[in-house]
Amino acid sequence: MDVVIYIRWSSAEQGKGSSLERQREDCRRHAKLKGWNVIDELVEDGVSAFKGRHSTVGLLGRFVAEAEAGGYPDGVVLLAEKLDRLSRELPRKVYAWILRVTELGIIVATVEGDRRYDGDNLDMAATIEVIVKAQLANEESEKKASRLAAAWASKRGRLARGEDV
């Protein structure tokens, strides 16, 4: 099977760490264990999956558009380290996206849990798993966004009071 690896991290700061190397190594090791042929690698550097831009105008969106245009054969695997690399949007959007791409013949796979989602195995258990994982990822992003907004509000307040920041 041919596989396209998808790697994403949310901020430039994270890009300074080991996100790229960790995700690349995990995905390549997983593909090798499965006997899959890596044909491409999509790297979204500093692109959040919380608002969904990665799946509309980002590389993930371009991949899906190419698949819709017949650029990938049925059975191509889209492999990510974890489901939250593919999206941190609301669970209903994540599930709808997975339905859409699997209907195109794409197999969505994750290293975490050695999971595969395709048109043949989106049963009740897989549906619940996707929704729960999506909910957890979305809640984590909500918390991070809230904390970041509070930190910036605090900095603006200290600046307004003349404090050094």
Side-chain angles (χ1 to χ4, degrees):
M1 297 181 115
D2 287 340
V3 63
V4 175
I5 293 173
Y6 181 73
I7 298 170
R8 184 197 61 76
W9 57 91
S10 299
S11 68
E13 190 63 30
Q14 288 174 324
K16 295 176 185 175
S18 63
S19 292
L20 174 62
E21 292 80 14
R22 184 196 71 244
Q23 291 181 57
R24 177 178 282 147
E25 288 174 17
D26 286 351
C27 288
R28 287 193 173 271
R29 182 174 33 256
H30 190 77
K32 186 176 182 179
L33 285 171
K34 296 290 184 183
W36 295 341
N37 177 42
V38 177
I39 60 170
D40 202 359
E41 190 175 274
L42 310 174
V43 178
E44 303 264 27
D45 181 353
V47 178
S48 172
F50 184 46
K51 301 287 185 190
R53 286 186 49 80
H54 71 299
S55 65
T56 55
V57 297
L59 294 177
L60 189 59
R62 287 189 214 142
F63 168 79
V64 173
E66 286 178 25
E68 287 174 329
Y72 292 98
D74 279 359
V76 70
V77 177
L78 176 64
L79 177 63
E81 177 190 44
K82 296 169 37 174
L83 195 61
D84 72 356
R85 298 296 89 208
L86 295 169
S87 184
R88 287 182 167 255
E89 293 178 276
L90 292 170
R92 71 178 187 282
K93 288 189 174 190
V94 176
Y95 185 67
W97 182 86
I98 286 182
L99 283 177
R100 177 177 166 220
V101 299
T102 58
E103 286 173 358
L104 292 171
I106 297 168
I107 298 167
V108 177
T110 62
V111 174
E112 180 185 68
D114 188 19
R115 298 298 293 143
R116 283 178 54 159
Y117 307 101
D118 59 49
D120 295 333
N121 77 351
L122 277 173
D123 58 10
M124 185 62 71
T127 298
I128 291 170
E129 178 183 39
V130 167
I131 291 170
V132 168
K133 286 182 176 182
Q135 182 68 38
L136 293 171
N138 182 261
E139 287 174 0
E140 181 64 26
S141 288
E142 286 279 357
K143 286 180 202 173
K144 288 177 183 177
S146 178
R147 288 182 195 139
L148 188 59
W152 278 106
S154 174
K155 288 178 185 180
R156 284 190 298 274
R158 290 190 342 233
L159 279 172
R161 290 187 301 276
E163 297 176 25
D164 287 335
V165 178

